[in-house]
Amino acid sequence: MAGTLRTGSDSFGRRYPELVAVIGVLALQGDVREHVAAVSACGDMRAVPVRRPRELAAVDALVIPGGESTTISRLLETFELLEPLRARIACGMPAYGSCAGMILLAREVRDGRPDQQQLGGLDVVVRRNAFGRQVDSFETDLRIEGLPGDPMRAVFIRAPWVESTGPGVQVLATVPRLTLAGRDAGPAAGKVVAVRQGAVLATAFHPELTGDLRMHAMFCGMVRQAAAAA
């Protein structure tokens, strides 16, 4: 592990967390700065951009932002990150993907390009651009299993949804019948939009855009568990 699991204390005897882990944010496309800020807000995590294999080798976990999944797939090959990242995830490195990140972490994608590469880690089938085009983007409130407090505001931008899950996948959230604007979600109602399998977490929406840090806090908790077990 690049980070160290331990606590310290100040001159008054108050305990505080020291660095637990270094979390990389894949910096090929998408909301890299926003994810770095959200992870850094967890306090005991350091967030760094990742563009090269040597940078990937130096982190304990990885966030894969949204963007264009086919473009990110090609860039992973161009930057020689595809196989190292597949190997790290297969060996248990915690990973969190939002939107396009969910697509890349899935076992199978529908409506993707034939040459699109998958990272694996989630035994799910996702449908790319399932909610429609950019103009069909929307917001709604989601009840997410494991998150305390009020429902989370979720921003969907050309988002995927999960069409099927394997036996080891935990469903964390589904689309409600009505959006915040009162529009009927139609065929999207009940679709799975947040999942977890072991050390891998994915959402179809963009929590980095709302200022609600609970999704990133959940992932940081998963990283802490992995650090403690290492």
Side-chain angles (χ1 to χ4, degrees):
M1 302 289 288
T4 303
L5 179 64
R6 62 178 185 268
T7 58
S9 59
D10 61 18
S11 58
F12 297 98
R14 295 176 300 199
R15 300 187 66 78
Y16 60 89
E18 296 184 359
L19 175 66
V20 169
V22 178
I23 298 180
V25 178
L26 187 66
L28 302 180
Q29 194 187 53
D31 297 326
V32 177
R33 181 173 59 184
E34 290 83 356
H35 279 293
V36 167
V39 169
S40 298
C42 289
D44 55 354
M45 303 285 167
R46 183 161 65 91
V48 297
V50 169
R51 297 184 184 88
R52 302 290 181 183
R54 67 178 181 274
E55 295 167 345
L56 176 63
V59 302
D60 304 295
L62 189 73
V63 174
I64 305 172
E68 171 56 52
S69 61
T70 55
T71 299
I72 298 174
S73 170
R74 290 195 296 269
L75 290 172
L76 284 170
E77 294 185 273
T78 299
F79 284 84
E80 299 181 338
L81 281 166
L82 180 63
E83 293 306 327
L85 184 47
R86 279 176 172 166
R88 289 292 307 275
I89 292 171
C91 288
M93 179 185 71
Y96 166 51
S98 63
C99 198
M102 169 185 269
I103 295 172
L104 289 161
L105 288 168
R107 168 177 55 83
E108 180 183 339
V109 58
R110 294 179 179 166
D111 292 337
R113 288 172 55 96
D115 60 346
Q116 183 166 332
Q117 300 288 340
Q118 299 304 114
L119 294 170
L122 286 172
D123 185 13
V124 300
V125 177
V126 300
R127 184 169 297 278
R128 182 173 169 267
N129 295 341
F131 292 94
R133 300 174 297 168
Q134 191 86 9
V135 296
D136 299 309
S137 301
F138 69 98
E139 298 182 18
T140 193
D141 284 342
L142 297 178
R143 289 283 184 187
I144 299 177
E145 186 172 342
L147 287 192
D150 295 332
M152 170 173 275
R153 178 66 50 85
V155 178
F156 292 85
I157 304 172
R158 294 182 62 195
W161 65 45
V162 176
E163 298 218 327
S164 65
T165 62
V169 177
Q170 180 185 10
V171 173
L172 301 181
T174 59
V175 177
R177 171 58 62 185
L178 296 178
T179 69
L180 285 177
R183 187 177 66 188
D184 193 301
K191 293 296 185 181
V192 175
V193 290
V195 292
R196 177 181 177 180
Q197 184 174 9
V200 180
L201 177 70
T203 61
F205 53 91
H206 293 264
E208 76 281 2
L209 297 180
T210 64
D212 188 334
L213 302 177
R214 287 178 292 168
M215 209 75 226
H216 291 84
M218 175 185 283
F219 180 59
C220 288
M222 293 165 56
V223 177
R224 291 186 195 98
Q225 292 174 355

